[in-house]
Amino acid sequence: MPNTPIMTVADLHKTYGKAGSKQYEALKGIDFTVNEGEFVGIMGASGSGKTTLLNMLATLDQPTSGEVTIHRQPITHLKGNQLADFRAKEIGFIFQDFNLLETMTAYENIALPLTLQNVAMKRIKPAVENVARQLGIAEFLTNYPNELSGGQKQRVAAARALINQPAMLFGDEPTGALDSSSARELLDLFSKINREQAVSILLVTHDPFSASYCQRILFIKDGRIGQELKRGDLPRKDFYQQILDTLGTFEQ
Amino acid sequence: MLTKLAMTGFKNRWRDYLVLFSGLIMSSAIFYMFEALATNQSFLKENTGIGLVGIIFQFGSVLLTIITLVYIGYANSFLLSMRKRDYGLFMLVGARKGKIGQLIWLETLLVGIVATLAGILFGTLLTMGISQLLISSLGLTLHHLAAWYFPAALKTLLLYVGLFLLAGLFNLIALTKTPALKLLHSNDQPNRPQLKPVWQGIQIIGGTLLIAVGYWSMANLDKLQMLGIAIALVTIVMGTYFLFNAIFVGLIVWLKHFAIAHRGLNNFTLSQLSFRIHNYTKILSIVALLFALALGAITTGMGFHRQVPMMANASNAYDLALVNPTKTEQNQIKALKPKTQTNYHFKVAKKAVYYQASEFNTHPFTTLNMHGKNQLAFKAVTNSAKQLQKSQYSYQLGQLQTNGNQMKAAVFLTPSAYQKLAQPEKTLTVFATKDVTANLPAIKRLVKTAAKHDASYKVATNLGGRYGAYLQINSMYSGLQFMGFFLGVAFLAMLASCLMFKILSGAAADQHRYQMLDKLGTTQRQLTGAIRKEIAVLFILPGIVGVIHVLFGLQMFKFLMVTSPYTGIWLPFLIFAGLYLIYYLITVKIYQRIVLQ
């Protein structure tokens, strides 16, 4: 079971601007794999290409060249319904600004990926309640997003991302809009889900504290992977210090 | 400096302002169109001959003013929501409240005046275009119709500028009383759909009662007269609003209990609807009323249009009669391929017209004998001379005469008695084609030829038979037909601009929701389906209410129309449904283009 790749990224390039005009190469050949049940972080300064990379991996954007495979399925050329089905079944997404639909209750937001697949109502209810219990939001299910705190909103978003048991969970600065205690709770939650349910997580962040929860960190600089850091059996506090040190030299 | 800042805000959001302006221009143009007819007393008097029509127009004008009031309030809140963030920002950088208030006031008024002036101009052009189109396609004769009518323009301008002054004042208070930070985040309001069963019950009962009273007073307009229209106006407007308000929230909450509501994006669509419920109830009541007005006007106009040939056909069995037709005229008649054609010889004395009985016995004269109360129900009866002498419908023979002989008694003589008369003998040629309305141009040419040797044929009232009746009735009903179609088109356009405005002003806010759904893995088909469903609800609900209003509202025209106003209403309904469907499809397309990019 360990070391089975869930996602492989091979020679990924992304160039902005049409041929002939002024072009900008945001990604200059990225290679890495994420194993099943792994918790990987991607770090880099603003403009390093980490968000571009995440958008490619999560099928929100198409690379100029290269291939991404998730769950043995090449995803870079998916289109239309296949793409929608893939997003709905194989991946979960958590955004910095929550991206909850403010017109729907927490329950309805969490259930959305299942209703999109036309899952029967009597199967949706236990699934939502189950994931809500795990994430500690069972009592907020009837509330609308604007009646929840930032931390609660992000847990609702996490529940929505997890409800269809995705192969990969992507996080784009999920703690960016949270206060420190909410951020800590959410990251603990990620670790727990990762440990107990073996969900593979890919987290994009520029915050060393968030990154210290990962098992492995890839540092991106100017469109390339510059360095890789593995936690191994290191306690989280020491790993945090190691990240800080790496960042200190890496960004020079 | 602030003025400059305000102008840049204006430039950045020109798309939103375009929506706002086109909506306001449309609204003021239609208001002007309506007033151009309603305030033109000489037009109303000349073309309808029914005093009550003027009063109906005045109440229509009141109704349109109410609709305009809501419409402007709505446009204003759109403007306000657009500018809230900018003004909040100005306050944050330290602009004085007085200065900001001045800006708000100025902007609101400027938008209002520019849109109204453009609207009046556009309305004049519309009035010209539509009236030309209607007159030529319906073959109407109208007098005193003016596309540019100053009192109407003045009324439009005064109403709109007055309303915008009020709106500016409202904006001033709303914006300067709100703290800057709240203005910056005004888009995140709470939106829990609330069920208040008692209040809703009261609204349902009250709304139903009000509408019932309105329907009753429309049906009894002959007794209530002006008061009836006033009552109907107030009760139906209020009743419609209460019913929508009470039922809409309940309907959505109720629908969410069904399994079907939790399939695909149905739940999302229901949530979307409930999210903006308060905007929707107002707009839906207005659309329902406009729907009813437009459909009612077109149905009535069509009713009058259909009635003209029916009444003409019921007036006589023959299309036209000519005295002593020349060879050319006879050839022209032959070319019409008449169904029947008979020559009766006659001699004219002072008080009577003498015919030969034998001619009538060999070629009986057909009269149309009325039966029942309805003037349009008749039986065609062939009469010998003896029968015709006794028949109360012998006047139909007289009608076919000319030169003042119409009212003289018809006497049928034996050949010998006829021979003894010294007066010169003339021939009356009567004929009937299969369908007089299909042969109007040819008969017109025939009459023109005949008028060369007999000047009396120049006047429509001298022409007996169906053709003459058609001309007279058509000129009598032209005004009513024209108003029906004209107002129908105007209300339909108003309805279109109302719904369009509502839907486009919400589209920008929906954009990020649809993007979010896309990221969650919604297929394109599900997204377009959700949009189609959401907009369909907004079209169907007021459509149903509008149809019910029309069915009851047609009661008002019982006393204006000879036939029942309900005969053949499927045709205008079908045409209207077609237009409505086309309009729905266009709205869906535009919305999808904005939201799904």
Coordinates of all heavy atoms in Angstrom, one line a residue, chain A residues 60 80-81 83-85 87-88 91 93 95 98-105 107-109 112-121 124 142-144 146-147 160, chain B residues 187-193 256-265 267-269 271-272 274-275 509 512-526:
Chain A
L60 N -8.5 23.1 -13.2 CA -9.1 24.4 -13.4 C -8.5 25.1 -14.6 O -9.0 26.1 -15.1 CB -9.1 25.3 -12.1 CG -9.8 24.7 -10.9 CD1 -9.6 25.6 -9.7 CD2 -11.2 24.4 -11.2
G80 N -15.5 18.9 -21.1 CA -17.0 18.8 -21.0 C -17.4 18.0 -19.8 O -17.0 18.2 -18.7
N81 N -18.3 17.0 -20.1 CA -18.9 16.2 -19.0 C -17.9 15.3 -18.3 O -18.0 15.1 -17.1 CB -20.0 15.3 -19.6 CG -21.2 16.1 -20.0 OD1 -21.2 17.3 -19.7 ND2 -22.1 15.5 -20.7
L83 N -14.8 16.1 -17.7 CA -14.1 17.0 -16.8 C -15.0 17.2 -15.5 O -14.5 17.1 -14.4 CB -13.8 18.3 -17.5 CG -13.1 19.3 -16.7 CD1 -11.7 18.8 -16.3 CD2 -13.0 20.6 -17.5
A84 N -16.3 17.5 -15.8 CA -17.2 17.8 -14.7 C -17.3 16.6 -13.8 O -17.2 16.7 -12.5 CB -18.6 18.2 -15.2
D85 N -17.4 15.4 -14.4 CA -17.6 14.1 -13.6 C -16.3 13.9 -12.8 O -16.4 13.5 -11.6 CB -17.8 12.9 -14.5 CG -19.2 12.8 -14.9 OD1 -20.0 13.6 -14.3 OD2 -19.6 12.1 -15.8
R87 N -14.2 16.1 -11.7 CA -14.1 17.1 -10.6 C -15.1 16.7 -9.5 O -14.8 16.7 -8.3 CB -14.5 18.5 -11.0 CG -13.5 19.2 -11.8 CD -14.0 20.6 -12.2 NE -13.1 21.2 -13.1 CZ -13.4 22.3 -13.8 NH1 -14.6 22.8 -13.8 NH2 -12.5 22.8 -14.7
A88 N -16.2 16.2 -9.9 CA -17.3 15.8 -8.9 C -16.9 14.6 -8.1 O -17.2 14.4 -6.9 CB -18.6 15.7 -9.5
I91 N -11.9 14.6 -7.1 CA -11.1 15.6 -6.3 C -12.0 16.5 -5.4 O -13.2 16.6 -5.7 CB -10.3 16.5 -7.2 CG1 -11.2 17.2 -8.2 CG2 -9.2 15.8 -7.9 CD1 -10.4 18.2 -9.1
F93 N -11.9 20.3 -3.2 CA -11.2 21.5 -3.3 C -11.6 22.4 -2.1 O -12.8 22.6 -1.8 CB -11.6 22.2 -4.6 CG -10.5 23.0 -5.3 CD1 -10.1 22.7 -6.6 CD2 -9.8 23.9 -4.6 CE1 -9.1 23.4 -7.2 CE2 -8.7 24.6 -5.1 CZ -8.4 24.4 -6.5
F95 N -10.9 26.4 -0.8 CA -10.3 27.7 -1.3 C -10.1 28.6 -0.1 O -10.7 28.4 1.0 CB -11.3 28.4 -2.2 CG -11.7 27.6 -3.4 CD1 -12.8 26.7 -3.3 CD2 -11.0 27.7 -4.6 CE1 -13.2 25.9 -4.4 CE2 -11.4 26.9 -5.7 CZ -12.5 26.0 -5.6
F98 N -13.3 30.3 1.0 CA -14.4 29.4 1.3 C -15.2 28.9 0.1 O -15.5 27.8 -0.1 CB -15.4 29.9 2.3 CG -14.7 30.7 3.5 CD1 -15.1 32.0 3.8 CD2 -13.7 30.1 4.2 CE1 -14.5 32.6 4.8 CE2 -13.0 30.7 5.2 CZ -13.4 32.0 5.5
N99 N -15.6 29.9 -0.8 CA -16.4 29.5 -2.0 C -17.7 28.7 -1.6 O -18.0 27.8 -2.3 CB -15.6 28.8 -3.0 CG -15.0 29.7 -4.0 OD1 -15.4 30.9 -4.0 ND2 -14.2 29.2 -4.9
L100 N -18.3 29.1 -0.5 CA -19.6 28.5 -0.2 C -20.7 29.3 -1.0 O -20.5 30.5 -1.2 CB -19.9 28.6 1.3 CG -18.9 27.7 2.1 CD1 -19.2 28.0 3.6 CD2 -19.1 26.3 1.8
L101 N -21.8 28.6 -1.3 CA -22.9 29.3 -1.9 C -23.7 30.0 -0.8 O -24.3 29.2 0.0 CB -23.7 28.3 -2.7 CG -23.0 27.9 -4.0 CD1 -23.6 26.6 -4.5 CD2 -23.0 28.9 -5.1
E102 N -23.7 31.3 -0.8 CA -24.4 31.9 0.4 C -25.9 31.8 0.3 O -26.6 32.2 1.2 CB -24.0 33.4 0.4 CG -24.4 34.3 -0.7 CD -23.4 34.3 -1.8 OE1 -22.8 33.3 -2.1 OE2 -23.2 35.4 -2.4
T103 N -26.4 31.3 -0.8 CA -27.9 31.2 -0.9 C -28.4 29.9 -0.3 O -29.6 29.6 -0.2 CB -28.3 31.2 -2.4 OG1 -27.6 30.2 -3.1 CG2 -28.1 32.5 -3.0
M104 N -27.4 29.0 0.1 CA -27.8 27.7 0.6 C -27.3 27.5 2.0 O -26.3 28.0 2.4 CB -27.3 26.6 -0.3 CG -27.9 26.7 -1.7 SD -26.9 25.7 -2.9 CE -27.9 24.2 -2.8
T105 N -28.0 26.6 2.8 CA -27.6 26.3 4.1 C -26.3 25.5 4.1 O -25.9 24.9 3.1 CB -28.6 25.5 4.9 OG1 -28.9 24.3 4.2 CG2 -29.9 26.3 5.0
Y107 N -25.9 22.6 5.3 CA -26.3 21.2 4.9 C -26.4 21.1 3.4 O -25.8 20.2 2.8 CB -27.6 20.8 5.5 CG -28.2 19.5 5.1 CD1 -27.9 18.3 5.9 CD2 -28.9 19.3 3.9 CE1 -28.4 17.1 5.5 CE2 -29.3 18.1 3.5 CZ -29.1 17.0 4.3 OH -29.5 15.8 3.9
E108 N -27.1 22.1 2.8 CA -27.3 22.1 1.3 C -25.9 22.2 0.6 O -25.7 21.6 -0.4 CB -28.2 23.2 0.9 CG -29.7 22.9 1.3 CD -30.6 24.1 1.2 OE1 -30.1 25.2 1.2 OE2 -31.8 23.9 1.1
N109 N -25.0 23.0 1.1 CA -23.7 23.2 0.5 C -22.9 21.9 0.6 O -22.3 21.6 -0.4 CB -23.0 24.3 1.3 CG -23.0 25.7 0.6 OD1 -22.5 25.9 -0.4 ND2 -23.7 26.6 1.3
L112 N -24.3 19.3 -1.9 CA -24.3 19.6 -3.3 C -23.6 18.7 -4.2 O -24.1 18.2 -5.2 CB -23.7 21.1 -3.5 CG -24.0 21.7 -4.8 CD1 -25.5 21.9 -5.1 CD2 -23.4 23.1 -4.8
P113 N -22.3 18.2 -3.9 CA -21.6 17.3 -4.8 C -22.4 16.0 -5.0 O -22.4 15.4 -6.1 CB -20.3 17.0 -4.2 CG -20.1 18.2 -3.3 CD -21.4 18.6 -2.8
L114 N -23.2 15.6 -4.0 CA -24.0 14.4 -4.1 C -25.2 14.6 -4.9 O -25.6 13.8 -5.7 CB -24.3 13.8 -2.7 CG -23.1 13.3 -1.9 CD1 -23.6 12.7 -0.6 CD2 -22.3 12.3 -2.6
T115 N -25.9 15.7 -4.7 CA -27.1 16.0 -5.4 C -26.8 16.2 -6.9 O -27.6 15.8 -7.8 CB -27.9 17.2 -4.9 OG1 -27.0 18.3 -4.9 CG2 -28.4 17.0 -3.6
L116 N -25.6 16.7 -7.2 CA -25.2 16.8 -8.6 C -25.1 15.5 -9.3 O -25.3 15.4 -10.5 CB -23.8 17.5 -8.7 CG -23.8 19.0 -8.4 CD1 -22.4 19.6 -8.5 CD2 -24.7 19.7 -9.5
Q117 N -24.7 14.5 -8.5 CA -24.6 13.1 -9.0 C -26.0 12.4 -8.9 O -26.0 11.2 -9.2 CB -23.6 12.3 -8.3 CG -22.2 12.9 -8.3 CD -21.6 12.9 -9.7 OE1 -21.7 11.9 -10.4 NE2 -20.9 13.9 -10.1
N118 N -27.0 13.1 -8.5 CA -28.3 12.5 -8.4 C -28.4 11.3 -7.4 O -29.0 10.3 -7.7 CB -28.9 12.1 -9.8 CG -29.3 13.3 -10.6 OD1 -29.6 14.3 -10.0 ND2 -29.3 13.1 -11.9
V119 N -27.6 11.4 -6.4 CA -27.6 10.4 -5.3 C -29.0 10.5 -4.6 O -29.5 11.6 -4.4 CB -26.5 10.6 -4.3 CG1 -26.6 9.6 -3.2 CG2 -25.1 10.4 -5.0
A120 N -29.5 9.4 -4.2 CA -30.9 9.4 -3.5 C -30.8 10.1 -2.2 O -29.8 10.1 -1.5 CB -31.4 8.0 -3.3
M121 N -31.9 10.8 -1.9 CA -32.0 11.7 -0.7 C -31.7 10.9 0.6 O -31.0 11.4 1.5 CB -33.4 12.3 -0.6 CG -33.4 13.6 0.0 SD -35.1 14.3 -0.4 CE -35.5 15.0 1.1
I124 N -28.0 10.6 1.0 CA -27.3 11.9 1.2 C -27.3 12.2 2.7 O -26.3 12.6 3.2 CB -28.0 13.0 0.4 CG1 -27.8 12.8 -1.1 CG2 -27.4 14.4 0.8 CD1 -28.5 13.8 -2.0
T142 N -28.0 23.8 9.7 CA -29.2 24.5 9.2 C -28.8 26.0 9.0 O -29.7 26.8 8.6 CB -30.4 24.4 10.1 OG1 -30.0 24.8 11.4 CG2 -31.0 23.0 10.1
N143 N -27.6 26.4 9.4 CA -27.3 27.8 9.3 C -26.8 28.2 7.8 O -26.3 27.3 7.1 CB -26.1 28.2 10.2 CG -26.6 28.2 11.6 OD1 -27.0 27.1 12.2 ND2 -26.5 29.3 12.3
Y144 N -27.0 29.5 7.5 CA -26.5 30.0 6.2 C -25.1 30.4 6.4 O -24.7 30.8 7.6 CB -27.4 31.1 5.7 CG -28.6 30.7 5.1 CD1 -29.8 30.4 5.9 CD2 -28.7 30.4 3.8 CE1 -31.0 30.0 5.3 CE2 -29.9 30.0 3.2 CZ -31.0 29.8 4.0 OH -32.2 29.3 3.4
N146 N -23.5 33.1 6.0 CA -23.2 34.4 6.7 C -23.5 34.4 8.2 O -23.3 35.3 8.9 CB -23.9 35.5 6.0 CG -25.4 35.3 6.0 OD1 -26.0 34.5 6.7 ND2 -26.1 36.1 5.1
E147 N -24.1 33.2 8.6 CA -24.3 33.1 10.1 C -23.2 32.3 10.8 O -23.3 32.0 12.0 CB -25.7 32.4 10.3 CG -26.9 33.2 9.7 CD -28.1 32.3 9.6 OE1 -28.0 31.1 9.5 OE2 -29.2 32.9 9.5
R160 N -17.7 19.7 2.4 CA -18.2 19.6 1.0 C -17.2 18.9 0.1 O -17.5 18.1 -0.8 CB -18.5 21.0 0.5 CG -19.1 21.0 -0.9 CD -19.5 22.3 -1.4 NE -18.3 23.1 -1.6 CZ -18.3 24.4 -1.9 NH1 -19.5 25.0 -2.1 NH2 -17.2 25.1 -2.1
Chain B
N187 N -22.9 43.8 0.4 CA -23.4 42.7 -0.3 C -23.6 41.4 0.5 O -24.3 40.5 0.0 CB -22.5 42.4 -1.5 CG -22.6 43.4 -2.6 OD1 -23.7 44.0 -2.7 ND2 -21.6 43.6 -3.4
D188 N -23.1 41.4 1.7 CA -23.3 40.2 2.5 C -24.4 40.2 3.4 O -24.3 40.0 4.6 CB -22.0 39.9 3.3 CG -20.7 40.4 2.6 OD1 -20.7 40.2 1.3 OD2 -19.8 40.9 3.2
Q189 N -25.6 40.5 2.9 CA -26.8 40.6 3.9 C -27.3 39.2 4.2 O -27.2 38.3 3.4 CB -27.9 41.4 3.3 CG -27.6 42.4 2.3 CD -28.0 42.0 0.9 OE1 -28.0 40.8 0.6 NE2 -28.3 42.9 0.0
P190 N -27.9 39.0 5.3 CA -28.5 37.7 5.6 C -29.8 37.5 4.8 O -30.3 38.5 4.3 CB -28.9 37.9 7.1 CG -29.0 39.3 7.4 CD -28.1 40.0 6.4
N191 N -30.1 36.3 4.6 CA -31.2 36.1 3.7 C -32.0 34.8 4.0 O -32.3 34.0 3.2 CB -30.7 35.9 2.3 CG -29.7 34.7 2.3 OD1 -30.1 33.6 2.1 ND2 -28.4 35.0 2.4
R192 N -32.3 34.6 5.3 CA -33.1 33.4 5.6 C -34.5 33.6 5.2 O -35.2 34.5 5.6 CB -33.0 33.2 7.1 CG -33.7 32.0 7.7 CD -33.4 32.0 9.2 NE -32.0 31.5 9.4 CZ -31.7 30.2 9.4 NH1 -32.7 29.3 9.2 NH2 -30.5 29.8 9.6
P193 N -35.0 32.7 4.4 CA -36.5 32.8 4.0 C -37.3 32.5 5.2 O -37.2 31.5 5.9 CB -36.6 31.7 2.9 CG -35.5 30.8 3.1 CD -34.4 31.6 3.7
K256 N -39.1 22.3 -1.3 CA -37.8 21.7 -0.8 C -38.0 20.4 -0.1 O -37.0 19.6 0.1 CB -37.1 22.7 0.1 CG -36.3 23.8 -0.7 CD -35.3 24.4 0.1 CE -34.5 25.4 -0.7 NZ -33.3 25.9 0.0
H257 N -39.2 20.1 0.2 CA -39.5 18.8 0.9 C -39.5 17.6 0.0 O -39.5 16.5 0.4 CB -40.8 18.8 1.7 CG -40.8 19.8 2.8 ND1 -39.9 19.6 3.9 CD2 -41.5 20.9 3.1 CE1 -40.1 20.6 4.7 NE2 -41.0 21.3 4.3
F258 N -39.6 17.9 -1.3 CA -39.7 16.8 -2.3 C -38.4 16.2 -2.7 O -37.4 17.0 -2.7 CB -40.5 17.2 -3.5 CG -42.0 17.4 -3.2 CD1 -42.4 18.7 -2.9 CD2 -42.9 16.4 -3.3 CE1 -43.7 18.9 -2.6 CE2 -44.2 16.6 -3.0 CZ -44.6 17.9 -2.7
A259 N -38.3 14.9 -3.0 CA -37.1 14.3 -3.4 C -36.5 15.0 -4.7 O -35.3 15.1 -4.8 CB -37.3 12.8 -3.6
I260 N -37.4 15.3 -5.5 CA -37.0 15.9 -6.8 C -36.2 17.2 -6.6 O -35.3 17.6 -7.4 CB -38.2 16.1 -7.7 CG1 -37.8 16.6 -9.2 CG2 -39.2 17.2 -7.2 CD1 -37.3 15.4 -10.0
A261 N -36.5 17.9 -5.5 CA -35.8 19.1 -5.2 C -34.3 18.8 -4.9 O -33.5 19.7 -4.9 CB -36.5 19.9 -4.1
H262 N -34.0 17.6 -4.5 CA -32.6 17.3 -4.2 C -31.9 16.5 -5.2 O -31.0 15.8 -5.0 CB -32.6 16.6 -2.8 CG -33.1 17.4 -1.7 ND1 -32.4 18.3 -1.0 CD2 -34.4 17.6 -1.3 CE1 -33.1 18.9 -0.1 NE2 -34.3 18.5 -0.3
R263 N -32.3 16.7 -6.5 CA -31.6 16.1 -7.6 C -30.9 17.2 -8.4 O -31.5 18.3 -8.6 CB -32.6 15.3 -8.5 CG -33.1 14.1 -7.8 CD -34.1 13.3 -8.8 NE -33.3 12.6 -9.8 CZ -32.7 11.4 -9.6 NH1 -32.8 10.9 -8.4 NH2 -32.1 10.8 -10.5
G264 N -29.7 16.9 -8.8 CA -29.0 17.9 -9.7 C -28.9 19.2 -9.0 O -28.7 19.4 -7.8
L265 N -29.3 20.2 -9.8 CA -29.1 21.6 -9.3 C -30.5 22.2 -8.8 O -30.6 23.4 -8.6 CB -28.5 22.5 -10.4 CG -27.0 22.4 -10.5 CD1 -26.5 23.2 -11.7 CD2 -26.3 22.8 -9.3
N267 N -32.1 22.1 -6.1 CA -32.1 22.7 -4.8 C -31.4 24.1 -4.9 O -31.8 25.0 -4.3 CB -31.3 21.8 -3.8 CG -31.5 22.2 -2.4 OD1 -32.5 22.9 -2.1 ND2 -30.6 21.9 -1.5
F268 N -30.3 24.1 -5.7 CA -29.6 25.4 -5.9 C -30.6 26.4 -6.5 O -30.6 27.6 -6.1 CB -28.4 25.1 -6.9 CG -27.8 26.4 -7.4 CD1 -27.0 27.1 -6.5 CD2 -28.0 26.8 -8.7 CE1 -26.4 28.3 -7.0 CE2 -27.4 28.0 -9.1 CZ -26.6 28.7 -8.3
T269 N -31.3 26.0 -7.5 CA -32.3 26.9 -8.2 C -33.3 27.4 -7.2 O -33.6 28.6 -7.1 CB -33.0 26.2 -9.3 OG1 -32.0 25.6 -10.2 CG2 -33.9 27.1 -10.1
S271 N -33.0 27.7 -4.0 CA -32.3 28.6 -3.1 C -32.0 29.9 -3.7 O -32.2 31.0 -3.1 CB -30.9 28.0 -2.6 OG -31.1 26.8 -2.0
Q272 N -31.7 29.9 -5.0 CA -31.5 31.1 -5.7 C -32.8 32.0 -5.7 O -32.7 33.2 -5.4 CB -31.2 30.8 -7.2 CG -29.8 30.4 -7.5 CD -28.9 31.7 -7.6 OE1 -28.3 32.0 -6.6 NE2 -28.8 32.3 -8.7
S274 N -35.3 31.8 -3.5 CA -35.7 32.2 -2.2 C -34.7 33.3 -1.7 O -35.1 34.2 -0.9 CB -35.7 31.1 -1.2 OG -34.4 30.7 -0.9
F275 N -33.5 33.3 -2.3 CA -32.5 34.3 -1.8 C -32.9 35.7 -2.1 O -32.8 36.6 -1.3 CB -31.2 34.0 -2.6 CG -30.0 34.9 -2.2 CD1 -29.6 35.0 -0.9 CD2 -29.3 35.6 -3.1 CE1 -28.6 35.8 -0.5 CE2 -28.3 36.4 -2.8 CZ -27.9 36.5 -1.5
A509 N -24.2 39.3 -9.9 CA -24.0 38.6 -8.6 C -24.0 37.1 -8.7 O -23.4 36.4 -7.9 CB -25.1 39.1 -7.6
H512 N -20.3 34.6 -9.9 CA -19.3 33.8 -9.1 C -20.0 32.5 -8.5 O -19.3 31.5 -8.3 CB -18.8 34.7 -7.9 CG -19.7 34.8 -6.8 ND1 -20.6 35.8 -6.7 CD2 -19.8 34.1 -5.6 CE1 -21.3 35.7 -5.6 NE2 -20.8 34.7 -4.9
R513 N -21.3 32.5 -8.4 CA -21.9 31.3 -7.9 C -21.8 30.2 -9.0 O -21.5 29.0 -8.7 CB -23.4 31.5 -7.6 CG -23.6 32.4 -6.4 CD -25.0 32.4 -5.9 NE -25.0 33.5 -5.0 CZ -25.8 34.6 -5.2 NH1 -26.5 34.7 -6.3 NH2 -25.7 35.6 -4.4
Y514 N -22.0 30.6 -10.3 CA -21.9 29.6 -11.3 C -20.5 29.1 -11.5 O -20.3 28.0 -11.9 CB -22.6 30.1 -12.6 CG -24.1 30.1 -12.5 CD1 -24.8 31.2 -12.2 CD2 -24.8 28.9 -12.8 CE1 -26.2 31.1 -12.1 CE2 -26.1 28.8 -12.7 CZ -26.8 29.9 -12.4 OH -28.2 29.9 -12.3
Q515 N -19.5 30.0 -11.3 CA -18.1 29.6 -11.4 C -17.8 28.6 -10.3 O -17.1 27.6 -10.6 CB -17.2 30.9 -11.3 CG -17.0 31.6 -12.6 CD -16.4 33.0 -12.4 OE1 -16.0 33.3 -11.3 NE2 -16.4 33.7 -13.4
M516 N -18.3 28.9 -9.2 CA -18.1 27.9 -8.0 C -18.7 26.5 -8.4 O -18.0 25.5 -8.1 CB -18.9 28.5 -6.8 CG -18.1 28.5 -5.6 SD -19.1 29.2 -4.3 CE -18.9 30.9 -4.5
L517 N -19.9 26.5 -8.9 CA -20.5 25.3 -9.3 C -19.7 24.5 -10.3 O -19.5 23.3 -10.3 CB -21.9 25.5 -9.8 CG -23.0 25.9 -8.8 CD1 -24.3 26.2 -9.5 CD2 -23.2 24.7 -7.8
D518 N -19.1 25.3 -11.2 CA -18.3 24.7 -12.3 C -17.1 24.0 -11.6 O -16.7 22.9 -12.0 CB -17.8 25.8 -13.2 CG -17.1 25.3 -14.4 OD1 -17.5 24.2 -14.9 OD2 -16.0 25.9 -14.8
K519 N -16.4 24.7 -10.6 CA -15.3 24.1 -9.9 C -15.7 22.9 -9.2 O -14.8 22.0 -9.0 CB -14.7 25.1 -9.0 CG -13.9 26.2 -9.7 CD -13.4 27.2 -8.6 CE -12.7 28.4 -9.3 NZ -12.5 29.5 -8.3
L520 N -16.9 22.8 -8.7 CA -17.3 21.6 -8.0 C -17.6 20.4 -8.8 O -17.9 19.4 -8.3 CB -18.6 22.0 -7.2 CG -18.4 22.8 -5.9 CD1 -19.8 23.1 -5.3 CD2 -17.5 22.1 -4.9
G521 N -17.6 20.6 -10.1 CA -17.8 19.5 -11.0 C -19.3 19.4 -11.5 O -19.9 18.4 -11.5
T522 N -19.8 20.6 -11.9 CA -21.2 20.6 -12.5 C -21.0 20.6 -14.0 O -20.2 21.3 -14.5 CB -21.9 21.8 -12.1 OG1 -21.7 22.1 -10.7 CG2 -23.4 21.7 -12.3
T523 N -21.8 19.7 -14.7 CA -21.7 19.7 -16.1 C -22.3 20.9 -16.7 O -23.2 21.6 -16.1 CB -22.3 18.5 -16.7 OG1 -23.7 18.5 -16.4 CG2 -21.8 17.2 -16.2
Q524 N -21.9 21.3 -17.9 CA -22.4 22.5 -18.6 C -23.9 22.3 -18.8 O -24.7 23.3 -18.7 CB -21.7 22.6 -20.0 CG -21.7 24.0 -20.5 CD -20.8 24.9 -19.7 OE1 -20.0 24.5 -18.9 NE2 -21.1 26.2 -19.8
R525 N -24.3 21.1 -19.0 CA -25.8 20.9 -19.2 C -26.6 21.2 -18.0 O -27.7 21.7 -18.0 CB -26.0 19.4 -19.7 CG -26.6 19.3 -21.1 CD -27.0 17.9 -21.4 NE -28.1 17.4 -20.7 CZ -28.4 16.1 -20.5 NH1 -27.6 15.2 -21.0 NH2 -29.4 15.8 -19.8
Q526 N -26.0 20.7 -16.8 CA -26.7 21.0 -15.6 C -26.8 22.5 -15.3 O -27.8 23.0 -14.8 CB -25.9 20.3 -14.4 CG -26.2 18.8 -14.3 CD -25.4 18.2 -13.3 OE1 -24.2 18.4 -13.2 NE2 -25.9 17.3 -12.5

